[in-house]
Amino acid sequence: MFLIYCPHCGEHREEEEFHNHGQAHIARPLDPDSCTDEEWGNYMFFRKNPKGLHHELWVHAAGCRKFFNVTRNTATYEIKEVYKIGEQPKVVE
Amino acid sequence: MSDVKNETATVSVMNQLPDASIVGQSPLFHADLATIAKKGPNTGGVSFKEEALLGHITLRMNADNAEQMSVVEKVLGVALPTQPLTSVSQGDVVVRWISPDEWLITVPGLQAFDIETAFQQNMIGHYQVVNVSGGQTLVTLSGKHAKDVIKKSSPIDLHPSEFPVGKVVTSVFAKSSAVIRRSGEETFELVIRRSFSDYLWLWIQDASREYGLVVEA
């Protein structure tokens, strides 16, 4: 059992209901036309793959179908916090 | 904003159930539940019933918009549940919370078109009303062992302290999905997809075999 707290439903649910959508807080370049290939490539394809604290995007796919952010330790699976889209993480170190 | 107004005026609403004289076929029509009910045992631990051909309406709007909320109350005669995972019922109308901006309204089948039309005429601002009756069906599981059948099929905690009467969850159910609502101490309503209804009917028969399945029609 790996339970994840959904901030929209307000309760813990089984991991089976969720999907991970990778790294959170990826800002789209404001002016894509003036990006260099490297800048655009980094935005499009390159993601962090840390061992330890990671800010991730999750979706409650089988539940309310809303996205939210999770701060998770990738080595221990411990979830430090869950916060809604548009909010900033409190746990950063 | 004039564009928005025009769009609202030209929304086409289709009456999916023209009138009572046309025989509708529910997703479990082929299973012929009426015959099974006549034949089958009358007592058992789990009762199964399809509430066939109900009107299912998906409503999406902003719960913080007081004007929209008052329109809903006018149309349905009952206020939308804004607390997550709750439902309200008023007579035959049941409104289920699905997501912070989405609700599932079930009404007797022939009322669906009237309610949809009433929404299109009265609702203001940014919203969506879709009649999804054809895509899903509602089945009830009741009896002493109804919760045991759901426990086999879903990871949801069904203890009364966690899952009181009136609570609604959308979750995985036997590798498919269902909107599960507790409508009584021992009664659960499952809203399931039309395309999965046969599979889930077979699943429920298998999962309830040890308790004894009573089919009601």
Side-chain angles (χ1 to χ4, degrees), chain A residues 1 8-11 13-14 16-17 60 62-66, chain B residues 60 84-85 97-99 101-102 155-156 167 169-172:
Chain A
M1 291 285 270
H8 300 285
C9 292
E11 67 174 20
R13 292 287 190 84
E14 176 60 37
E16 195 183 353
E17 295 185 12
H60 194 183
C64 63
R65 305 198 295 270
K66 293 284 178 201
Chain B
R60 301 202 64 175
L85 309 177
W97 184 97
I98 299 291
S99 158
D101 57 4
E102 182 177 343
I156 293 297
K167 184 171 173 175
V169 298
T170 312
S171 183
V172 287

Side-chain angles (χ1 to χ4, degrees), chain B residues 161-176:
Chain B
S161 64
E162 275 296 307
F163 206 105
V165 174
K167 184 171 173 175
V168 174
V169 298
T170 312
S171 183
V172 287
F173 187 89
K175 299 184 185 176
S176 171

Side-chain angles (χ1 to χ4, degrees), chain B residues 8-18 55-59 71-72 74-76 105 107-124 127-133:
Chain B
T8 326
T10 54
V11 164
S12 57
V13 185
M14 192 183 76
N15 190 357
Q16 297 185 15
L17 281 177
H56 299 237
I57 297 165
T58 291
L59 170 66
V71 172
V72 174
K74 205 176 95 189
V75 171
L76 295 177
I105 304 162
V107 297
L110 297 173
Q111 283 177 26
F113 181 61
D114 296 340
I115 287 181
E116 200 186 349
T117 313
F119 270 119
Q120 304 291 5
Q121 283 168 354
N122 296 301
M123 194 49 118
I124 40 165
Y127 74 99
Q128 182 187 44
V129 170
V130 181
N131 184 345
V132 292
S133 313

